[in-house]
Amino acid sequence: MESLTSRMQAVQSPIIPVVGELIKNSPGTISLGQGVVSYNPPPEAIEFLAQFLAEPANNSYKSVEGIPPLLTVLAGKLQDFNGIEINGENCIVVTAGSNMGFMNAILAITNPGDEIILNTPYYFNHEMAIAMAGCHPVLVATDENYQLRPEAIAQAITPKTRAVVTISPNNPTGVVYSEAALHQVNQICGVHNIYHISDEAYEYFTYNGIKHISPGAFDNNSEYTISLYSLSKAYGFASWRIGYIVIPKHLLVAVKKVQDTILICPPVISQYAALGALQAKEEYLQSHIAAIAQVRQLVLDSLNRLQGLCSIIPADGAFYFFLKVHTQMDAFELVKRLIQEHKVAVIPGTTFGIDDGCYLRVAYGALQKETAKEGIERLVQGLETIVSN
């Protein structure tokens, strides 16, 4: 049978499985690649599974937008932590992870051929979702510190633009956008009658006294702000697949059409686990993020030895650093050599839309301190050996 062509040919292949295969073929490799945390969900998440199992009717389909008790708890969290009030103008939809929330939003607000503005470096699954929807990503470069350039975003808007996407704290750079810059983006979107999609999956991961800002909390913007959240990172929920979105009420019918078609309802057992996780005491998040902050400092101290070989931009959020390596070598070729010759894995910058140089994303959230120390030592020595030669 002849190979069939489809829209998927225009979509880049996910890099994580590709690097995963290289790791599998090089036993003993320490991964500084995938963006996950090392810790497990809080005990409360497991305890709430008993409530799910005790109710036989839970085997049936439930509400497309999420079970009412979880929606109530999420509304309280959004009010208390993000400053977002759920009212008659907006609403929450629980999704199978925030990637699904992004896909729901793109399908709800676009027609094929429309444009979505991404700031580079972008998160690769955002770019893939836009391509899958038959839309076009319009790339706007951030500045030399990976911060937003609102004036460049405004200049990139055309009659086909439907949304501007921001991620703060950022994947892949780890930077946190300023309140002023996010406010400017919101104003630009309001003036042009387009949406601001704010991805806040790393909302709790900020350091050095930096405070997370939710654009959805700004005044008079609930008509055009879409906010994405995830339990995958903060609550160790990666495989449970629970995220949620806050959308303008006028998008609810469209989003429910998408969700009902692809998912019907978020996995109810995972929603119960999420309901439990959100009961955890503040110490749960505080202690785990404090431990990641220690690993972050260890990683930063080691990377600073690469001054001259790499440019390391300050990053006060998420659990990533985005390195510019001063070499003419192809980024993916460098990644392969680091795995095969030095048994340490990172992600090439080309995956995030950066191909004018050699860039690497270093992720440190998944490792305990000693493993992280060994992994970052391998990376430093590997870069010194490969790039210097």
Side-chain angles (χ1 to χ4, degrees):
M1 183 177 180
E2 287 187 17
S3 167
L4 296 176
T5 60
S6 81
R7 69 182 68 195
M8 288 304 163
Q9 288 185 303
V11 179
Q12 67 164 303
S13 296
I15 191 65
I16 299 297
V18 175
V19 173
E21 193 65 24
L22 291 170
I23 293 171
K24 190 169 73 172
N25 294 331
S26 187
T29 296
I30 294 175
S31 177
L32 299 169
Q34 195 161 20
V36 293
V37 295
S38 62
Y39 55 86
N40 294 321
E44 292 88 344
I46 309 306
E47 290 165 7
F48 267 63
L49 297 183
Q51 294 187 26
F52 169 83
L53 295 169
E55 177 51 67
N58 279 335
N59 293 322
S60 301
Y61 294 129
K62 298 298 179 185
S63 170
V64 173
E65 59 260 56
I67 59 174
L70 181 56
L71 293 172
T72 298
V73 170
L74 290 174
K77 175 265 177 186
L78 287 162
Q79 178 78 66
D80 294 341
F81 184 79
N82 305 96
I84 297 174
E85 180 187 359
I86 300 302
N87 50 40
E89 297 180 350
N90 59 8
C91 56
I92 305 167
V93 177
V94 180
T95 57
S98 62
N99 272 7
M100 183 175 187
F102 186 83
M103 190 85 230
N104 286 357
I106 293 298
L107 290 172
I109 68 174
T110 64
N111 290 308
D114 284 344
E115 297 173 352
I116 305 291
I117 292 176
L118 297 180
N119 295 281
T120 57
Y122 54 61
Y123 172 45
F124 53 85
N125 281 137
H126 286 173
E127 191 269 346
M128 292 166 69
I130 292 163
M132 285 180 193
C135 296
H136 304 296
V138 173
L139 307 184
V140 174
T142 49
D143 69 15
E144 64 277 7
N145 292 315
Y146 304 129
Q147 291 289 334
L148 296 173
R149 297 164 57 232
E151 69 290 343
I153 292 171
Q155 290 170 5
I157 293 172
T158 75
K160 286 186 170 292
T161 304
R162 292 294 170 264
V164 176
V165 179
T166 61
I167 311 169
S168 182
N170 188 261
N171 177 11
T173 66
V175 305
V176 180
Y177 297 148
S178 71
E179 181 172 1
L182 289 169
H183 218 292
Q184 281 183 270
V185 172
N186 254 38
Q187 290 175 326
I188 290 165
C189 291
V191 167
H192 290 273
N193 197 29
I194 60 177
Y195 293 95
H196 180 183
I197 303 177
S198 172
D199 187 332
E200 302 174 41
Y202 300 89
E203 58 185 327
Y204 293 106
F205 296 90
T206 57
Y207 315 102
N208 298 324
I210 299 296
K211 187 177 183 297
H212 173 67
I213 301 297
S214 294
F218 298 152
D219 290 339
N220 304 318
N221 68 1
S222 56
E223 282 290 298
Y224 55 86
T225 305
I226 298 171
S227 305
L228 309 178
Y229 301 97
S230 172
L231 272 71
S232 293
K233 315 302 180 186
Y235 289 94
F237 249 61
S239 71
W240 290 88
R241 305 314 305 138
I242 290 292
Y244 53 103
I245 56 177
V246 180
I247 57 174
K249 198 64 172 281
H250 66 258
L251 290 179
L252 180 59
V253 170
V255 166
K256 286 174 69 172
K257 287 179 183 178
V258 179
Q259 180 131 308
D260 187 72
T261 301
I262 295 174
L263 187 68
I264 297 183
C265 66
V268 179
I269 189 169
S270 295
Q271 291 191 68
Y272 269 78
L275 188 57
L278 291 163
Q279 316 296 318
K281 295 181 173 62
E282 282 187 23
E283 287 76 17
Y284 169 80
L285 289 178
Q286 290 171 348
S287 63
H288 285 304
I289 292 170
I292 288 178
Q294 291 182 354
V295 174
R296 173 186 177 275
Q297 192 58 52
L298 181 153
V299 170
L300 188 56
D301 290 344
S302 295
L303 289 177
N304 281 332
R305 287 164 39 200
L306 293 171
Q307 297 289 351
L309 286 180
C310 298
S311 297
I312 302 142
I313 300 301
D316 291 316
F319 33 74
Y320 307 112
F321 290 109
F322 200 63
L323 306 185
K324 180 178 183 180
V325 186
H326 303 316
T327 177
Q328 298 301 311
M329 189 181 301
D330 174 75
F332 186 64
E333 183 61 31
L334 179 55
V335 167
K336 285 197 293 186
R337 288 191 60 183
L338 285 167
I339 294 171
Q340 293 163 354
E341 299 171 20
H342 298 274
K343 294 193 181 300
V344 62
V346 290
I347 303 296
T350 45
T351 300
F352 307 99
I354 303 293
D355 52 14
D356 59 340
C358 185
Y359 292 79
L360 304 174
R361 187 189 75 173
V362 179
Y364 54 86
L367 303 177
Q368 301 293 340
K369 187 183 288 188
E370 288 310 308
T371 311
K373 186 174 184 180
E374 173 63 23
I376 205 68
E377 281 299 312
R378 292 183 190 183
L379 177 63
V380 170
Q381 291 174 13
L383 289 173
E384 287 174 339
T385 301
I386 296 169
V387 177
S388 296
N389 292 337

